């Protein structure tokens, strides 16, 4: 007997596929694309319709660029992407500019693209690979096998039913599907909150992503040091995406008017940059940043968690899209292996169980280092000391950029790469 949390399944024909992916953001679209290219029939369910907006910084590091290339996405400027050369870091009022490292494992450029366009492009790429997209399919409950308690499908708000032997939760930080399967968020993992808006600005065509490690509501040293870190990303279309993030290791987390905090910082940036309320083109919006594998296990009873649903945001820099797409590819490998071994067999189950093992091997130690990092920078005065004494040292900052952006060569890298790789391997998996 198949049951949902709403009772017995309705007597209507269900959509059958090899895999159901719930959520068509970067994690879901990437997972679905890799599955389809491995020959599986995939149903991709999205509760809204495309194009649609998401709260995001819109900036992509070379790590995310690599995943787009692996998906077969044309990331050229002719295809509408704005390229960036590296990162400009502000500590107080002192800028320090670093180019992305020249590596064998990653391309030498990052990207910027609005999420409304970005997500639409990824889902159309999935459709071109053979994925069946169902929009306005708002999943409200898993369908469980009464004998095994495994998930074998989902039910949507309109009563439609989708069935498959493997289901992927790619439904973001809220991940109602994971919660319905009893997978709750871990409180011992870092969490962030980010807010952002857009301004018309002459800085829109800047070819460096900009990170502000100290936020002041006036001149540094003469006024208050604000909690959190900020960013300014030129969009190339006459606007800049401007925002800030705060970690739950900060005493201000959950006690702050984040919109007011953003405006206080920006009102003290140079007026010619244009970051004033009259030039704001959209409301200030916010989103949670689930970090460091804050929801586990990443596989259980036929359900795999990818992207924000599994808490895969990088604690070092708040980047989520790269890891959403990476986890989708790793999950697709495991599911394809399970499918071809024979769904329902012990061998197939072992293939699915390899997913969280591989995920922890790839990212677990690095995320543990990130957890230690966020505890340190939760104190704004620690951040201030780091920027004051660290920014003038170019070699140290090159190392810091590689560490924070997780950009190292896995083989034959330089001494910095080897140190970061070794530290990530010996750290306990998150």
């Amino acid at each position: 007997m198949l049951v949902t949390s709403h009772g017995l399944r309705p007597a209507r024909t269900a959509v059958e596929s090899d895999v159901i992916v719930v959520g068509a953001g970067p994690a879901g679209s990437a997972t679905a694309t890799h599955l389809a290219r491995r020959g599986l029939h995939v149903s991709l369910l999205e509760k809204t319709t495309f194009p649609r907006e998401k709260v995001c910084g819109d900036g992509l590091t070379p790590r995310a660029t690599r995943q787009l290339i692996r998906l077969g996405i044309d990331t050229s400027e002719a295809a509408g992407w704005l390229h960036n050369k590296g990162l400009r870091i502000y500590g107080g009022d002192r800028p320090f500019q670093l180019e992305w490292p020249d590596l064998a494992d990653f391309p030498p450029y990052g990207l910027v693209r609005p999420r409304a366009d970005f997500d639409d492009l990824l889902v159309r790429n999935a459709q071109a690979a053979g994925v069946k997209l169902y929009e306005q399919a708002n999943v409200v409950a898993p369908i469980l096998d009464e004998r095994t308690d495994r998930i074998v499908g989902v039910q949507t708000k309109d009563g439609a039913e989708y069935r498959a032997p493997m289901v992927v939760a790619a439904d973001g930080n809220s991940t109602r599907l994971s919660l319905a399967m009893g997978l709750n968020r871990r409180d011992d993992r870092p969490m962030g909150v980010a807010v952002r808006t857009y301004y018309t600005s002459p800085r829109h065509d800047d070819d460096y992503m900009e990170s502000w490690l100290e936020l002041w509501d006036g001149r540094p040293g003469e006024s208050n040091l604000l909690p959190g870190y900020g960013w300014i990303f030129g969009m190339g279309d006459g606007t800049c995406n401007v925002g800030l993030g705060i970690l739950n290791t900060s005493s201000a987390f959950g006690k702050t008017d984040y919109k007011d905090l953003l405006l206080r910082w920006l009102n003290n940036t140079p007026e010619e940059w244009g970051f004033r309320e009259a030039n704001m083109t959209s409301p200030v919006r916010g989103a949670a940043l689930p970090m460091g594998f804050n929801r586990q296990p990443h596989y259980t009873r036929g359900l795999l968690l990818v992207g924000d649903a599994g808490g895969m945001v990088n604690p070092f820099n708040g980047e989520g899209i790269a890891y959403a797409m990476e986890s989708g590819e790793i999950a697709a490998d495991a599911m394809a292996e399970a499918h071809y071994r024979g769904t329902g067999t012990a061998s197939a189950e072992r293939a699915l169980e390899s997913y969280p093992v591989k995920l922890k091997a790839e990212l677990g130690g690095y995320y543990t280092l990130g957890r230690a990092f966020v505890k340190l920078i939760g104190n704004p005065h620690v951040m201030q000391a780091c920027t004051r004494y660290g920014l003038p040292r170019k070699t140290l900052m090159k190392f810091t950029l590689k560490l924070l952006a997780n950009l190292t060569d896995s083989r034959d890298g330089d001494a910095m790469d080897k140190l970061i790789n070794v530290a990530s391997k010996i750290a306990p998996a998150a």
Side-chain angles (χ1 to χ4, degrees):
M1 180 70 71
L2 301 179
V3 299
T4 73
S5 60
H6 290 209
L8 296 179
R9 66 180 175 90
R12 59 185 291 181
T13 302
V15 174
E16 302 273 358
S17 52
D18 296 323
V19 180
I20 296 164
V21 179
V22 179
S29 290
T31 306
T33 301
H34 286 299
L35 284 166
R37 290 180 178 167
R38 287 156 176 74
L40 280 70
H41 298 288
V42 186
S43 294
L44 178 59
L45 279 53
E46 168 61 36
K47 66 181 180 181
T48 61
T49 56
F50 287 94
R52 52 106 171 99
E53 186 182 19
K54 286 285 184 180
V55 176
C56 185
D58 299 331
L60 304 170
T61 69
R63 194 171 188 99
T65 304
R66 178 180 70 169
Q67 289 305 122
L68 290 171
I69 293 170
R70 291 177 67 83
L71 285 167
I73 301 288
D74 180 0
T75 62
S76 68
E77 292 177 302
W81 298 88
L82 182 67
H83 285 206
N84 54 68
K85 300 176 181 177
L87 187 65
R88 184 182 303 112
I89 302 171
Y90 273 83
D93 59 352
R94 297 174 298 169
F96 190 92
Q97 199 158 279
L98 289 168
E99 294 191 351
W100 297 121
D102 184 14
L103 301 169
D105 287 359
F106 297 94
Y109 61 93
L111 301 165
V112 174
R113 191 144 185 163
R115 278 294 299 273
D117 186 41
F118 179 80
D119 286 19
D120 185 64
L121 186 152
L122 288 189
V123 81
R124 303 308 168 201
N125 188 60
Q127 287 181 293
V131 172
K132 180 65 176 176
L133 172 68
Y134 296 89
E135 296 176 278
Q136 294 185 313
N138 189 1
V139 171
V140 294
I143 301 172
L144 304 177
D145 186 303
E146 195 175 53
R147 294 165 300 148
T148 64
D149 202 34
R150 290 177 66 88
I151 189 169
V152 291
V154 296
Q155 189 178 62
T156 55
K157 191 174 182 179
D158 61 3
E161 189 178 291
Y162 301 81
R163 293 176 56 189
M166 296 176 285
V167 180
V168 177
D171 48 349
N173 175 61
S174 60
T175 187
R176 289 191 293 173
L177 183 58
S178 301
L179 289 172
M181 291 286 288
L183 301 178
N184 297 310
R185 181 169 65 86
R186 294 181 58 159
D187 293 329
D188 62 341
R189 295 291 186 266
M191 174 68 76
V193 170
V195 294
R196 68 95 176 99
T197 186
Y198 296 88
Y199 292 89
T200 55
S201 171
R203 302 195 61 202
H204 72 95
D205 59 352
D206 193 347
D207 52 9
Y208 282 79
M209 297 169 67
E210 194 164 277
S211 178
W212 288 62
L213 302 184
E214 294 178 25
L215 306 180
W216 299 86
D217 62 359
R219 289 184 58 82
E222 298 178 7
S223 56
N224 294 325
L225 177 62
L226 304 173
Y229 60 93
W231 71 79
I232 300 171
F233 299 158
M235 301 301 296
D237 61 358
T239 68
C240 287
N241 180 314
V242 185
L244 62 83
I246 296 179
L247 297 162
N248 64 354
T249 51
S250 168
S251 60
F253 187 84
K255 306 173 185 176
T256 301
D257 182 335
Y258 301 121
K259 177 181 178 180
D260 177 69
L261 189 66
L262 177 66
L263 298 180
R264 282 167 62 195
W265 163 45
L266 294 176
N267 281 338
N268 286 283
T269 58
E271 191 163 354
E272 60 269 23
W273 290 2
F275 302 140
R276 302 293 184 268
E277 196 161 357
N279 300 321
M280 191 183 296
T281 64
S282 72
V284 177
R285 293 194 172 95
L289 302 175
M291 299 175 171
F293 291 164
N294 79 336
R295 196 182 307 275
Q296 295 185 46
H298 292 122
Y299 170 70
T300 181
R301 297 152 48 212
L303 181 72
L304 298 88
L305 278 57
V306 297
D308 284 8
M312 296 182 193
V313 173
N314 183 347
F316 281 105
N317 66 359
E319 181 179 19
I321 291 177
Y323 303 95
M325 294 188 290
E326 282 185 36
S327 63
E329 184 173 8
I330 297 170
D333 284 340
M335 286 184 282
E337 183 73 20
H339 175 76
Y340 290 116
R341 288 185 183 188
T343 302
T345 66
S347 180
E349 185 67 9
R350 284 192 290 273
L352 293 172
E353 290 170 351
S354 74
Y355 168 59
V357 175
K358 178 74 178 294
L359 205 57
K360 287 200 172 190
E362 293 286 330
L363 298 170
Y366 176 77
Y367 280 1
T368 295
L369 296 177
R371 286 164 55 198
F373 174 78
V374 300
K375 286 180 181 179
L376 286 174
I377 66 168
N379 184 330
H381 297 290
V382 172
M383 176 72 87
Q384 185 182 12
C386 290
T387 56
R388 177 177 298 169
Y389 299 110
L391 279 179
R393 294 164 174 80
K394 191 165 187 177
T395 300
L396 177 60
M397 291 309 299
K398 284 182 177 180
F399 173 83
T400 303
L401 177 64
K402 286 190 169 190
L403 176 64
L404 267 59
N406 201 7
L407 295 173
T408 62
D409 275 333
S410 56
R411 296 182 180 180
D412 301 324
D414 62 16
M416 296 180 187
D417 296 356
K418 291 173 182 175
L419 178 57
I420 293 169
N421 294 341
V422 168
S424 298
K425 285 178 181 177
I426 65 175

